[in-house]
Amino acid sequence: MRFLINKIVLGLSILAALIGLVFLFWILIDLTIKGVGAIDWHIFSNDLVNNGLRNLLIGQFMLALTAVVIGVPIGMIAGIYLQEYSYGSKYAEFIRNLSDVMMSAPSIVIGVFVYAIVVNPVGHANGWAGSIALAIMMIPIVVRTTDDMLGLVPKELREAGIALGAPKYKVIFDIIIKAAKVGITTGILLAFARIAGETAPLLFTSGNSQFFTMNMNQEFPSLTVAIYNLATMPDENLVKIAWAGAFILTVFVLLINLLGRYVIREKK
Amino acid sequence: MKNVMEIKDFYFTYPKAPKPTLKNINLNIEENKITALIGPSGCGKSTLLRSLNRIQDLYPGNKYDGEILLKINDKMENILEYKKENKLIELRQRVGMIFQKPTPFPMSIFDNVAYGLKFAGIKSKSEIEGRVEKALQGAALWSEVKDRLKESALGMSGGQQQRLCIARAIAVEPEVLLFDEPTSALDPISTAAIEELVVELKERVSIAIVTHNMQQASRISDYTAFMYLGDLVEFGETEQIFLNPKEKQTEDYITGRFG
């Protein structure tokens, strides 16, 4: 009887795994076939207004990079506080839990939130709002990784620094962060990969633009929002561009993920 | 007989602990001598050692009672009265510490040894280089590492790492060095090297060492303190403690009847 149950559970597990994998590969294969077919030099050298992706790719990158510039310092400082300074404080556990909850907050809600606090007062969608929304998505991930990775550094290393007469902040910045830098870097890379492919937080915040721009005070072009818009167009040519964009985005996110994993393995 | 540190009626209580971990400790650390703290696990010898440079203050909520005096410019100062971080930093520059596991910082060998110097206010590059070389020589490590000072300290062997930590500590020229079981993570050859080094160091610094290894205490120390359950049971010259202990508990412990 136990043997039979064993077999059934094993069979169900394999089936579940297969279903997941089938859909994943279906998506990837479909995306590759339609995406690769749509890629040519034209889309890299022209903006959306001329049926190209150039402004979208650069725009997406700018939005994500600005989000990193805003989100990483805030997240890291919060993580450092939690691990290094909150000793014995009852708020620390509360902040940790809150941050974890934030990690699973629906991205569209974050988009609407930023719409209310940034877009609405300004009166129009703009690049900064998009980056802020992405940064808000990123912060909890960075908080968590920083907190965890600093926690893995043995306490003797902190004591050794203090015992040499170094002030605590110096020990943290000179020694502890260095000892944890591989883990933290990986976490930031993975957080970057996570936000680089987001659509929902940008939908209400950065809007979209057909033209090349570096001015983040205006509506700002982004690949993900463009894919969303283009995919619903009746013009088949535009749908083809959406496929190309989706393929490029997937490859990009995949590469960052692989890079993150590679960094971990190299250093271990 | 000159004392560099005097511990008087000292009580230590960990945060939220109902009873003190150390009770009524009276002990002197003599200049240029090695004082060993022995006793079974949990007897408080590490806690006592960690009170001498207030490293335990990294974790708030400890309670100190009594006095721990440190000789500074021929005057005794009570280090338990220090409140500001600046005073504690000064204290730790005078009273260095070596830990059980080697703790090399993730930086080059040179930077490891130079690390404490910048907080001691030494800025000139040539002076830093001189102090690093002197410290590495003092830790019997110079000949092994002089050609790879720029390499990461993490690539050294465990014994070398521990000597690097000693070099790092003596670079700031402390008056007292605290060793917290410095050889318990090392092989016998590295252990012998560290012991030899500790004995050499007493020319320059006063030393307190916590050890589980009684042979080690008898080999290298001048004075030995036997602690049990937070009390200082017996303190005296090492020879007397090992050959002719006054207390029954001490005798039982060093002859291996308990502990």
Side-chain angles (χ1 to χ4, degrees), chain B residues 238-257:
Chain B
T238 297
E239 210 174 88
Q240 176 254 313
I241 295 279
F242 278 88
L243 296 180
N244 191 17
K246 291 191 186 95
E247 302 288 332
K248 180 89 174 45
Q249 272 178 324
T250 315
E251 189 182 343
D252 287 350
Y253 183 70
I254 60 177
T255 52
R257 242 168 279 167

Side-chain angles (χ1 to χ4, degrees), chain A residues 184-201:
Chain A
I184 295 176
T185 313
T186 312
I188 291 172
L189 272 176
L190 295 182
F192 182 69
R194 169 96 169 71
I195 59 158
E198 279 292 341
T199 315

Side-chain angles (χ1 to χ4, degrees), chain B residues 40-149:
Chain B
S41 296
C43 70
K45 55 193 187 304
S46 279
T47 308
L48 178 59
L49 196 79
R50 290 165 65 84
S51 302
L52 299 182
N53 67 348
R54 306 248 327 247
I55 194 84
Q56 194 60 32
D57 281 36
L58 266 181
Y59 316 101
N62 306 298
K63 199 163 147 269
Y64 301 97
D65 282 303
E67 291 183 335
I68 294 180
L69 305 174
L70 171 68
K71 188 154 97 179
I72 296 173
N73 305 330
D74 280 320
K75 264 186 274 174
M76 298 307 267
E77 264 187 44
N78 185 1
I79 64 167
L80 298 182
E81 280 167 3
Y82 293 169
K83 297 241 157 50
K84 294 207 177 99
E85 197 186 16
N86 275 351
K87 289 300 273 180
L88 291 173
I89 286 173
E90 261 176 55
L91 166 67
R92 287 159 191 155
Q93 280 161 356
R94 291 175 191 278
V95 184
M97 190 166 212
I98 315 293
F99 297 84
Q100 182 171 359
K101 279 200 205 121
T103 50
F105 300 147
M107 45 180 94
S108 73
I109 294 172
F110 183 92
D111 289 343
N112 258 278
V113 183
Y115 190 70
L117 294 174
K118 55 181 165 179
F119 307 113
I122 296 161
K123 299 226 165 65
S124 125
K125 209 174 158 228
S126 60
E127 195 184 348
I128 290 178
E129 281 169 2
R131 292 276 285 262
V132 168
E133 178 174 346
K134 202 172 135 207
L136 284 167
Q137 272 165 350
L141 200 58
W142 177 249
S143 59
E144 287 165 61
V145 301
K146 65 171 187 282
D147 298 322
R148 51 184 186 121
L149 292 173

Side-chain angles (χ1 to χ4, degrees), chain B residues 34 195 198-199 202 209 215-222:
Chain B
I34 299 174
E195 283 184 13
V198 172
V199 175
K202 74 173 177 177
I209 179 168
Q215 285 78 30
Q216 183 169 74
S218 68
R219 273 194 302 265
I220 65 176
S221 70
D222 301 293

